[in-house]
């Protein structure tokens, strides 16, 4: 179904929510609960005061972001499904956001427009003037007209055939504004296309408010928001011989405060931190974060489940959260020897990895996120469940919740067995036997978490 949500994103304030679906549509929601409660919510949470009212969002507007396309050079159908949405900085009470499908990125501006309705200027010609004759706004003559609009009778004055009453026409009304309606209008400001040979898996805004990156399996490009005619390739992992390809890029993210720093993850389970000040083409990383395997622990599925599907920076930029198939890992940017915390998401599935491999569930992709205060991390799982972990040192807090329409979500004691979801086109890089297979059709799970 085209109504299935494929991307979801809060803005930095948490007051607006954007969702994208498989039909290429973007729907915006606006927070409606009391502003004072919103401002004091974090303080109430710290004081362990129960909050009876949950955040509420109402429909704001929607627009068609992408349409189905066809690449005639490659004989490839490009579906309209929204892969990622990112909010940009607001200006002049307008909302700005980026949306992308597999090949094309679009920059949208959503702004309120006032629609003015005016009364129609009317003149009632049935009214008569003081001498009893009917006033006319056009000349009249009994003589037949001459060719080319000529007239045989010359008039000394324009008013010779126009009769105006002393007080003017009482029925003549000038246009006046009778009402004002406010409509939200979405306008596409820029289209960034023809820069990726492979499917775009992530986009990320820079903290400078002027640039952003887009990443596919093998390349990361840097764009300026105001220039859509060119981009700069800053990361390229494509080998000279494609048979030598051993890993692909799975996600890329800009640092929240340092405009020169970004991180990208790979299908081998590593995260590379690069500095744009070092060189134009960032082939060499400044840091690499990866967890070394224990001797004798490697198996056929080790590299498959180590593939990272999502990375997120904490709000202060100190920590980096990564999600692979089995775990969440929290990394300290100042310590690249290993993760500071590892959270087991569904460890009960480890004995069934062979079955998950046979039905392709092992290639499912999950997203992750951190709470605004950095005290909790969350990610999705199977059966409409998502798990929330306490991220503070020594915390044993683990909560499993069910995503449902009921705002009072119930906690789940035991996670259910995985079920196959809806197939979407997310690129995966996996090792089947002795060769690397680049293909699509893996399940994408988005998690909705408070900011």
């Amino acid at each position: 179904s085209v109504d299935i949500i494929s991307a979801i994103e809060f803005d930095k304030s948490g007051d607006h929510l954007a969702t994208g679906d498989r039909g290429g549509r973007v729907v915006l929601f606006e927070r409606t609960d009391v502003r004072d409660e919103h401002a004091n919510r974090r303080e109430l949470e710290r004081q362990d005061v129960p909050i009876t009212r949950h955040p509420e969002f109402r429909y704001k507007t929607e627009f068609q972001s992408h349409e189905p396309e066809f690449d005639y050079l490659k004989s490839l159908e490009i579906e309209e499904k929204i892969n990622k949405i990112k909010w940009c900085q607001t200006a002049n009470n307008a909302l700005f956001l980026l949306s992308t499908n597999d090949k094309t990125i679009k920059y949208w501006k959503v702004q309120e427009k006032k629609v003015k309705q005016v009364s129609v200027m009317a003149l009632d010609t049935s009214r008569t003037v003081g001498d009893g004759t009917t006033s006319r706004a056009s000349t009249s003559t009994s003589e037949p007209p001459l060719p080319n609009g000529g007239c045989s009778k010359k008039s000394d004055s324009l008013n010779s055939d126009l009769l105006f009453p002393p007080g003017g026409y009482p029925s003549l009304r000038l246009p006046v504004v009778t009402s004002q309606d406010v409509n939200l209008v979405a306008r596409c400001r820029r289209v960034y296309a023809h820069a990726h040979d492979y499917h775009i898996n992530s986009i990320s805004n820079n903290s400078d408010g002027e640039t952003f990156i887009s990443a596919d399996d093998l390349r990361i490009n840097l764009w300026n928001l105001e220039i859509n005619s060119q981009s700069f390739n800053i990361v390229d992992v494509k080998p000279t011989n494609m048979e030598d390809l051993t890993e692909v890029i799975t996600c890329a993210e800009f640092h929240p405060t340092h405009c020169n720093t970004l991180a990208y993850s790979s299908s081998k389970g590593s995260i590379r931190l690069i500095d744009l000040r070092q060189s134009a083409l960032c082939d060499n990383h400044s840091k690499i974060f990866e967890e070394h395997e224990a001797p004798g622990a490697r198996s056929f599925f080790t590299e498959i489940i180590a593939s990272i599907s999502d990375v997120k920076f904490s709000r202060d930029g100190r920590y980096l959260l990564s999600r692979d198939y089995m775990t969440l890992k929290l990394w300290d940017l100042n310590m690249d020897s290993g993760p500071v915390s590892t959270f087991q998401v569904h460890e009960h599935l480890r004995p069934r990895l062979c079955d998950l491999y046979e039905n392709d569930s092992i290639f499912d992709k999950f997203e992750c996120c951190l709470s605004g205060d950095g005290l909790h991390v969350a990610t999705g799982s199977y059966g409409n469940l998502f798990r929330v972990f306490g991220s503070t040192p020594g915390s044993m807090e683990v909560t499993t919740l069910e995503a449902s329409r009921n705002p009072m979500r119930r906690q789940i004691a035991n996670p259910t067995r995985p079920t196959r979801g809806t197939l979407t086109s997310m690129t995966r890089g996996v090792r089947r036997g002795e060769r690397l297979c680049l293909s699509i059709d893996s399940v994408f799970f988005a998690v909705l978490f408070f900011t």
Side-chain angles (χ1 to χ4, degrees), residues 74 195-203 213-223 231-240 242 245 247-252 262 264-265 274 281 283:
K74 298 181 179 179
H196 289 277
D197 293 330
Y198 303 92
H199 290 179
I200 299 173
N201 55 47
S202 57
I203 54 176
I213 56 172
S214 58
D216 62 21
D217 295 337
L218 301 179
R219 291 186 176 92
I220 300 177
N221 294 331
L222 177 67
W223 300 84
S231 63
F232 298 95
N233 179 230
I234 56 177
V235 175
D236 190 347
V237 300
K238 184 177 181 180
T240 305
M242 286 296 288
L245 183 64
E247 64 179 336
V248 295
I249 299 170
T250 56
C251 186
L262 63 91
Y264 70 92
S265 58
I274 61 177
L281 185 60
D283 291 329

Side-chain angles (χ1 to χ4, degrees), residues 404-433:
S404 66
R405 295 184 178 182
N406 181 10
M408 303 303 295
R409 301 181 182 89
R410 63 188 181 95
Q411 296 191 15
I412 307 298
N414 297 317
T416 59
R417 59 181 297 177
T419 57
R420 294 297 295 152
T422 304
L423 295 180
T424 64
S425 54
M426 292 286 290
T427 306
R428 70 191 183 200
V430 299
R431 186 174 296 276
R432 290 180 178 268

Side-chain angles (χ1 to χ4, degrees), residues 188-207:
C188 183
R189 295 194 61 197
R190 298 284 188 278
V191 177
Y192 314 91
H194 312 299
H196 289 277
D197 293 330
Y198 303 92
H199 290 179
I200 299 173
N201 55 47
S202 57
I203 54 176
S204 179
N205 294 318
N206 199 343
S207 58

Side-chain angles (χ1 to χ4, degrees), residues 255-258 273 287 289 312-321 330-335 340 370:
H255 192 279
T257 57
H258 299 164
L273 202 67
K287 284 186 178 181
F289 303 91
K312 290 289 192 308
F313 279 98
S314 60
R315 179 166 293 185
D316 58 4
R318 172 69 184 275
Y319 297 97
L320 190 64
L321 183 68
L330 189 65
W331 307 81
D332 189 333
L333 295 189
N334 298 327
M335 186 180 71
V340 295
L370 297 94

